[in-house]
Amino acid sequence: MPRGRWFWLAAPALLLIGAVFLVPVGWLLLRSLSDPRWGLQNYAAVFAHPVYLRVFWNTIVIAGSVTALCLLIGYPVAYTMAHAGERGRRFLVFVILIPFWTSLLVRTYAWLVLLQQNGLVNRVLVDSGLVAAPLQLVYNRLGVLIGMVQVQLPFMVLPLYAVLSRIHPRYGQAAATLGAPPVAEFRRVYLPLSLPGVFTGCALVFITSLGYYITPALLGGRQDLMIAQLILIQIGDFGNWGLAAALAIILLFGAAVTLALFYRILAARQRPLR
Amino acid sequence: MLAPVLELVAIRKVYGDTVAVGDVSFALGRGEFLTLLGPSGSGKTTTLMMVAGLVAPSAGTMLLDGKPLDPLPPYKRNIGLVFQSYALFPHMTVAQNIAFPLEMRGMDRREIQRRTGRALDLVGLPGYETRYPDQLSGGQQQRIALARAIVFEPRLLLMDEPLGALDKKLREQMQIEIMRLHKQLDISVIYVTHDQDEALVMSDRIAVFNSGRIEQLGAPEELYERPASRFVADFLGESNFFPGIAKVVGGEHCEIEHGKDRLRGRSRGLAAGQAAVLAVRPERIRLAPPGSPALASENFVSGRVRNIVYLGKSRKYIVQIDDGVEIAVFEQARGDRIPTVGVGDAVTLIWPVDDSTVLSA
Ligand SMILES: Nc1ncnc2c1ncn2[C@@H]1O[C@H](COP(=O)(O)OP(=O)(O)O)[C@@H](O)[C@H]1O
Ligand SMILES: [Mg+2]
């Protein structure tokens, strides 16, 4: 069977991606180079204004923090899932997938209700005497991180779980009989074997976080402006399509570079997958 | 026997209502090569895992050099274990795999390098330091797993069907290498296999496992010549069985009534009137023309040849005796001499009483 024949099975998907992705991106690229006139002036403007760079930096820091938090919270969850019995595993998968049951907008507003000045969380904290005055949990970086981590967690947990559940227990057992206490066993054997899952999960969470709009817009403060919000402001408030397109292209380029980097690391780490 | 290295006293492991291992006791002598032999599911791996500390016994005691082993976690036991699937760390090179137990013991770099090199020499793979496990053949992976399990000079080496995945030729070669290493390192070994030939070739002693219990423990000859149960006689090598009733019991021997024949064999602890079975190895039986005289120290029955199978180094005769039981007889094939007995011929089967064992049925 010639390999090429199966290629056609992917054709519908490829056509769809071509239509809904490549065409608009091509149009954006064109726009960024031609609006209001031909040239690189839109890109020059982005790099000339610290404000824009600041927003890029914000975006990277927020996406990075969300990724790190998801990894920190998600690894133990994935580990538990991989080592739980069949019922425990199903329960955890169910819990992990709950966020997908409601729309992003609804969830974000729910966080707003929970986290605001006289919201449920603050009331519990104050009433129980844990804090004297309500905490500022929303309209700042903390609010953005809480809202985004909750939404992004499944994208970390599921790829991690897929890898962890395939790490055969005999590797850990072998390490133990060779004299490795639990911490060394984890650090030298389990963790390295789980890295492909770590990289996949991180790539997924980081790249999808770069383009977030609703959560930072509703839960963040002025300091937490992300690139997607900036793009909308440029179009909605200023009708500056050229600059908005340039920002979008830079974001896309950044995501592509990140993805390529993750792939490089993953390829170098390919061995533990076998 | 010197003070044993390892002692198991009434070790038991229960999973739900499955008794994986039931009251297993044995002592392993210093430098001894003990094989746990038994069919799949008979509790060999579970026993080994309990010694290694990877499975906690439900009851019983284990002593290593006279000290209780149970409170020690596996990483403090200093017991080498070779898994059937080798379990080499796929993300580490051969050298890193072998160095792992040494690093865990805080050895310095030069010493680690020296010992790693020596371990590779021992298993005949010098120069393989920088390979990854997936760049090795099954046999080579096996050697590296062995090197990794002995490099830290463990008190005890456990091997769980280490040659199970190799083809026959390589398996036989590795058997000899493992025996050589055992001699050279003077290490105490518990070896698990379900291959009776492997057990007979390699072991100082064999423990035959059946449904979580040890049926018999002894030297290979002892098990082969004097099986203590029908299970052992059947599992270790090939046996013919003549069912009957114990008639005359006394001393070392027992006489059973099998149809119209009276057969005698060695036996212990049988009572007259008990249902019994006489076991005899196919290679101990001689084919003779019908009506040939037998000595007083021999058993004989008459029958008819049903089938002859040429096996290369021997011929296997299937003889149906008068009551319908089929008996196998091995005769050495001598050159191109044509066998004098053919299919359908009437024959007398003759064999020494002392090569027969009478067991309770
Ligand atoms: N983790 C376990 N849970 C339940 N039953 C087990 C477990 N491990 C082994 N067993 C059972 O214990 C018995 C002995 O198994 P094992 O020691 O692996 O036998 P062997 O190595 O001789 O093939 C089998 O019946 C097996 O199904
Ligand atoms: Mg087994």
Side-chain angles (χ1 to χ4, degrees):
Chain A
M1 176 79 58
R3 275 178 147 203
R5 280 178 68 168
W6 295 105
F7 178 80
W8 295 107
L9 292 174
L14 290 177
L15 278 176
L16 191 69
I17 289 172
V20 304
F21 181 77
L22 288 181
V23 172
V25 165
W27 181 80
L28 271 179
L29 186 61
L30 198 69
R31 200 86 196 242
S32 73
L33 293 170
S34 66
D35 197 325
R37 63 197 132 74
W38 284 95
L40 288 171
Q41 75 279 357
N42 288 319
Y43 292 92
V46 171
F47 288 104
H49 291 80
V51 189
Y52 299 145
L53 294 179
R54 182 68 212 271
V55 173
F56 267 112
W57 178 241
N58 265 352
T59 307
I60 290 166
V61 170
I62 290 175
S65 313
V66 169
T67 307
L69 286 170
C70 281
L71 182 60
L72 231 55
I73 299 168
Y75 199 105
V77 175
Y79 182 92
T80 312
M81 272 167 73
H83 295 86
E86 190 53 40
R87 292 184 52 176
R89 186 194 335 275
R90 267 190 227 161
F91 174 74
L92 281 170
V93 172
F94 174 77
V95 170
I96 292 293
L97 292 180
I98 283 180
F100 291 123
W101 290 26
T102 50
S103 87
L104 182 59
L105 199 59
V106 171
R107 262 176 292 157
T108 310
Y109 271 115
W111 276 120
L112 206 54
V113 172
L114 285 174
L115 298 176
Q116 64 194 329
Q117 200 83 85
N118 53 356
L120 186 67
V121 174
N122 265 321
R123 274 219 303 282
V124 168
L125 286 175
V126 173
D127 290 354
S128 66
L130 277 173
V131 295
L135 299 174
Q136 184 65 43
L137 296 175
V138 81
Y139 304 127
N140 58 10
R141 184 63 53 91
L142 185 62
V144 176
L145 292 184
I146 292 174
M148 284 180 69
V149 165
Q150 191 239 346
V151 177
Q152 295 287 63
L153 200 54
F155 298 110
M156 180 64 80
V157 170
L158 295 178
L160 254 181
Y161 164 71
V163 171
L164 297 193
S165 63
R166 271 182 288 140
I167 298 178
H168 200 285
R170 69 170 171 256
Y171 294 118
Q173 294 179 332
T177 64
L178 294 169
V183 173
E185 179 188 322
F186 178 77
R187 211 174 54 78
R188 295 286 310 277
V189 177
Y190 195 86
L191 187 62
L193 291 176
S194 73
L195 283 184
V198 170
F199 285 127
T200 311
C202 285
L204 213 56
V205 170
F206 184 77
I207 287 165
T208 50
S209 293
L210 288 177
Y212 255 63
Y213 168 70
I214 293 176
T215 313
L218 291 179
L219 300 180
R222 208 193 305 264
Q223 298 302 310
D224 308 304
L225 200 64
M226 287 181 77
I227 201 75
Q229 293 165 270
L230 184 60
I231 291 170
L232 196 76
I233 291 170
Q234 288 301 326
I235 296 171
D237 297 358
F238 304 118
N240 195 346
W241 277 92
L243 190 70
L247 289 169
I249 292 295
I250 293 170
L251 177 64
L252 183 68
F253 183 74
V257 168
T258 315
L259 196 60
L261 272 176
F262 274 119
Y263 261 111
R264 282 291 292 273
I265 300 172
L266 206 57
R269 289 265 169 197
Q270 200 52 243
R271 213 172 282 287
L273 277 175
R274 301 196 192 161
Chain B
M1 190 160 56
L2 294 165
V5 175
L6 176 78
E7 225 175 324
L8 265 62
V9 186
I11 284 293
R12 206 176 158 75
K13 180 67 195 182
V14 183
Y15 291 107
D17 19 301
T18 315
V19 179
V21 174
D23 297 314
V24 161
S25 302
F26 64 81
L28 179 73
R30 200 166 304 267
E32 189 181 13
F33 195 113
L34 174 71
T35 295
L36 314 185
L37 172 70
S40 175
S42 58
K44 310 179 298 290
T45 297
T46 307
T47 303
L48 217 56
M49 294 297 139
M50 288 192 281
V51 174
L54 300 174
V55 167
S58 310
T61 318
M62 296 183 284
L63 301 169
L64 187 66
D65 293 317
K67 289 186 278 296
L69 193 54
D70 310 70
L72 293 182
Y75 56 91
K76 285 189 183 156
R77 291 198 177 188
N78 208 28
I79 292 175
L81 173 61
V82 178
F83 292 79
Q84 172 167 12
S85 50
Y86 319 143
L88 292 174
F89 303 132
H91 59 295
M92 295 186 195
T93 61
V94 163
Q96 287 167 336
N97 263 285
I98 299 175
F100 186 83
L102 305 177
E103 285 169 13
M104 290 300 126
R105 284 162 177 76
M107 227 168 253
D108 70 65
R109 278 243 322 272
R110 295 189 52 175
E111 182 64 11
I112 288 178
Q113 212 161 23
R114 198 180 65 77
R115 290 200 188 205
T116 305
R118 211 185 47 185
L120 279 174
D121 286 343
L122 267 177
V123 298
L125 289 177
Y128 277 65
E129 281 87 349
T130 57
R131 300 268 194 116
Y132 279 90
D134 62 7
Q135 297 170 318
L136 302 174
S137 70
Q140 290 171 335
Q141 288 184 39
Q142 181 48 251
R143 286 162 202 254
I144 300 303
L146 195 56
R148 189 178 67 170
I150 58 175
V151 71
F152 58 100
E153 295 173 357
R155 207 60 199 96
L156 196 63
L157 179 61
L158 312 176
M159 288 188 259
D160 190 2
E161 311 211 14
L163 310 182
L166 306 181
D167 60 55
K168 187 169 183 296
K169 196 110 189 160
L170 192 54
R171 200 159 66 225
E172 282 168 2
Q173 189 187 333
M174 285 298 296
Q175 285 170 6
I176 292 168
E177 288 207 29
I178 291 173
M179 287 160 69
R180 175 181 61 76
L181 269 177
H182 168 242
K183 289 256 153 47
Q184 199 171 338
L185 300 174
D186 194 26
I187 190 172
S188 314
V189 176
I190 303 181
Y191 188 94
V192 165
T193 183
H194 63 255
D195 180 338
Q196 40 136 339
D197 293 325
E198 195 166 292
L200 287 173
V201 168
M202 299 180 78
S203 322
D204 293 324
R205 288 193 301 158
I206 300 173
V208 180
F209 270 64
N210 181 24
S211 332
R213 290 178 309 104
I214 295 183
E215 286 268 338
Q216 191 176 3
L217 199 165
E221 295 104 88
E222 192 183 332
L223 298 197
Y224 193 80
E225 303 294 341
R226 300 277 159 260
S229 68
R230 180 172 181 155
F231 178 85
V232 174
D234 206 19
F235 193 76
L236 204 70
E238 210 176 314
S239 286
N240 292 302
F241 296 104
F242 297 86
I245 305 291
K247 283 291 169 192
V248 186
V249 194
E252 293 266 276
H253 293 89
C254 171
E255 187 173 295
I256 69 162
E257 187 180 59
H258 167 78
K260 61 179 175 30
D261 295 312
R262 289 276 179 140
L263 303 171
R264 285 187 304 138
R266 289 166 168 268
S267 97
R268 269 170 300 183
L270 277 177
Q274 200 181 330
V277 62
L278 182 138
V280 61
R281 301 291 183 186
E283 71 274 16
R284 302 293 160 82
I285 302 176
R286 159 164 72 84
L287 291 172
S292 297
L295 304 173
S297 62
E298 289 177 328
N299 289 314
F300 65 95
V301 294
S302 52
R304 196 170 289 278
V305 176
R306 280 281 164 245
N307 199 2
I308 304 176
V309 185
Y310 179 66
L311 297 173
K313 60 188 169 195
S314 66
R315 280 195 176 83
K316 181 177 186 175
Y317 295 79
I318 305 295
V319 178
Q320 189 170 32
I321 56 176
D322 296 344
D323 61 0
V325 174
E326 288 197 336
I327 297 299
V329 178
F330 286 143
E331 286 222 320
Q332 293 276 307
R334 291 185 201 84
D336 54 4
R337 203 186 297 172
I338 295 157
T340 49
V341 182
V343 173
D345 290 355
V347 289
T348 294
L349 306 180
I350 303 176
W351 70 95
V353 165
D354 280 348
D355 285 346
S356 321
T357 313
V358 180
L359 304 161
S360 69

